[in-house]
Amino acid sequence: MLRVIVRRLLQLVVTLIALSALIFIWLRNLPGGPVEALLGERATPERRALLTKALGYDQPILVQYGKFMQRVVTGDFGNSIRSGDPVTEVISRAFPATIELALAAMIIAVGLGVPLGYLAARWRGRFLDNLTIAGTLLGISIPIFFLGYLLKDVFTQNIHWFPPSGRLTTGLDNTNVTGFFVLDGLLTREFDASADALWHLILPAITLATIPLAVIVRITRASVLDVLNEDYVRTAEAKGLRHRTIRGRHILRNALLPVVTTIGLQTGALLSGAVLTEKVYNWGGIGTLITDSITGGRDYPVLQAIILLAALIFVVVNLLVDLSYAFIDPRVRVR
């Protein structure tokens, strides 16, 4: 197991170094570039030359990349072109909102997806199975932005069950401890603020959970159907084992490997920023920061850091998924 962890960590480092090089070269060769973004309308040949030299962009690309990696190792991604604040501070203000939304969405997706997929497989061809297949097809087909606006129109404009946007009601006091508003309210005993933050979270989380939910249901159903036809399941039934034992030890556990892989990939994607959902609900997370950085003045340092962060999240999540295989399936530990 230790050998697997070390090998995965080495692969993580190599992947991040290769990706950082690609991102660095790509952003340096975009039209306009950081110099034009910084100068804006004041750009003249003289100003461009001075700023290019000041930023070190006149040096060979390998030298620039080496200095960039030295700063990255220390956590220095430079300053935002739009606000002038350190990039790490800009991202740290937005990232908790995305984590909170992504985790809520995955709790909904996993909490409903695995049981529904299992039941659909057990009752294959019956009403619940047909309803589940139709529902997952609908969930995958509906564009997120359309679903978001539809839910907002129904539940915020017509029946007024949920707030339309934002993470907290304007004017409601909430002490920012961790950046996770629901948790902050509990830690500081501001329970009204925590409940209000949770109420704001429900509708965006449901919107964001639709596609992961549909995918998890389908993968779980297909995996359980494969396991149900295995000899060891029929043997367990013939031996008269309790249904709970067969379901938990022989069916679900052996069907979990592809499901865990899917959950890991979906979690990594959501943590990297749910752009459309955050825009619809004015959520203020990484997805919103990405669009603002692109449309609000080509904020290259922020974009560079976000892309690296997204890559790190994917690699770490995949590492955790690989390690979880050993706990789910003992045969993986043997291999």
Side-chain angles (χ1 to χ4, degrees):
M1 179 58 67
L2 180 61
R3 191 182 306 165
V4 173
I5 295 174
V6 172
R7 186 167 65 246
R8 288 290 186 268
L9 289 175
L10 291 175
Q11 292 175 353
L12 182 152
V13 172
V14 172
T15 301
L16 290 178
I17 291 175
L19 185 62
S20 67
L22 291 174
I23 295 169
F24 183 84
I25 295 172
W26 173 60
L27 289 178
R28 289 297 182 279
N29 288 279
L30 285 177
V35 173
E36 292 290 341
L38 283 168
L39 292 176
E41 297 179 353
R42 301 171 298 166
T44 63
E46 294 78 12
R47 286 178 177 270
R48 290 194 197 96
L50 288 173
L51 187 58
T52 299
K53 186 172 183 179
L55 295 175
Y57 293 160
D58 58 335
Q59 298 175 349
I61 191 70
L62 289 179
V63 175
Q64 295 183 46
Y65 177 69
K67 292 181 177 180
F68 166 73
M69 288 302 297
Q70 288 178 356
R71 295 195 302 271
V72 168
V73 170
T74 61
D76 179 14
F77 289 91
N79 294 332
S80 168
I81 293 175
R82 291 192 306 132
S83 64
D85 296 332
V87 171
T88 51
E89 291 185 9
V90 174
I91 293 179
S92 64
R93 289 196 294 264
F95 197 39
T98 295
I99 295 178
E100 192 172 54
L101 177 59
L103 290 181
M106 287 309 299
I107 288 172
I108 295 172
V110 176
L112 293 177
V114 174
L116 281 175
Y118 173 80
L119 292 175
R122 290 292 294 180
W123 295 334
R124 182 181 183 183
R126 300 183 185 178
F127 175 75
L128 179 61
D129 184 30
N130 295 329
L131 182 64
T132 301
I133 292 175
T136 56
L137 182 60
L138 186 65
I140 294 174
S141 303
I142 297 179
I144 285 291
F145 70 90
F146 174 75
L147 179 63
Y149 283 119
L150 179 64
L151 293 179
K152 279 182 67 174
D153 182 63
V154 173
F155 291 103
T156 69
Q157 303 298 326
N158 293 330
I159 59 179
H160 307 287
W161 281 6
F162 298 102
S165 63
R167 299 181 64 197
L168 200 66
T169 299
T170 304
L172 189 63
D173 183 32
N174 184 39
T175 305
N176 192 342
V177 179
T178 64
F180 306 101
F181 285 2
V182 176
L183 179 61
D184 287 346
L186 296 176
L187 293 176
T188 58
R189 297 183 180 277
E190 297 170 354
F191 299 116
D192 290 342
S194 181
D196 185 78
L198 181 61
W199 210 239
H200 279 77
L201 178 62
I202 291 175
L203 208 57
I206 292 174
T207 303
L208 188 60
T210 51
I211 292 179
L213 172 60
V215 174
I216 290 171
V217 168
R218 290 213 161 213
I219 295 297
T220 303
R221 178 183 179 274
S223 185
V224 169
L225 284 175
D226 288 340
V227 172
L228 286 174
N229 294 322
E230 294 291 340
D231 292 338
Y232 55 80
V233 175
R234 289 194 290 267
T235 301
E237 292 174 344
K239 290 168 64 177
L241 293 181
R242 291 185 304 172
H243 179 66
R244 180 183 300 178
T245 302
I246 298 174
R247 180 182 60 197
R249 184 177 299 175
H250 297 283
I251 298 177
L252 277 178
R253 188 167 184 177
N254 287 285
L256 273 181
L257 288 183
V259 178
V260 169
T261 302
T262 303
I263 292 173
L265 293 174
Q266 294 294 326
T267 302
L270 297 188
L271 287 174
S272 302
V275 178
L276 294 176
T277 304
E278 290 186 10
K279 269 300 183 182
V280 170
Y281 292 99
N282 191 26
W283 193 251
I286 291 294
T288 304
L289 185 60
I290 291 173
T291 55
D292 291 344
S293 298
I294 294 173
T295 61
R298 293 175 295 179
D299 202 339
Y300 293 113
V302 173
L303 285 174
Q304 197 166 243
I306 290 176
I307 296 172
L308 284 176
L309 176 64
L312 177 63
I313 290 171
F314 266 104
V315 174
V316 170
V317 168
N318 280 309
L319 172 63
L320 295 176
V321 168
D322 288 344
L323 296 180
S324 69
Y325 289 167
F327 295 97
I328 297 172
D329 189 347
R331 293 171 298 180
V332 175
R333 289 198 296 268
V334 175
R335 289 197 293 268

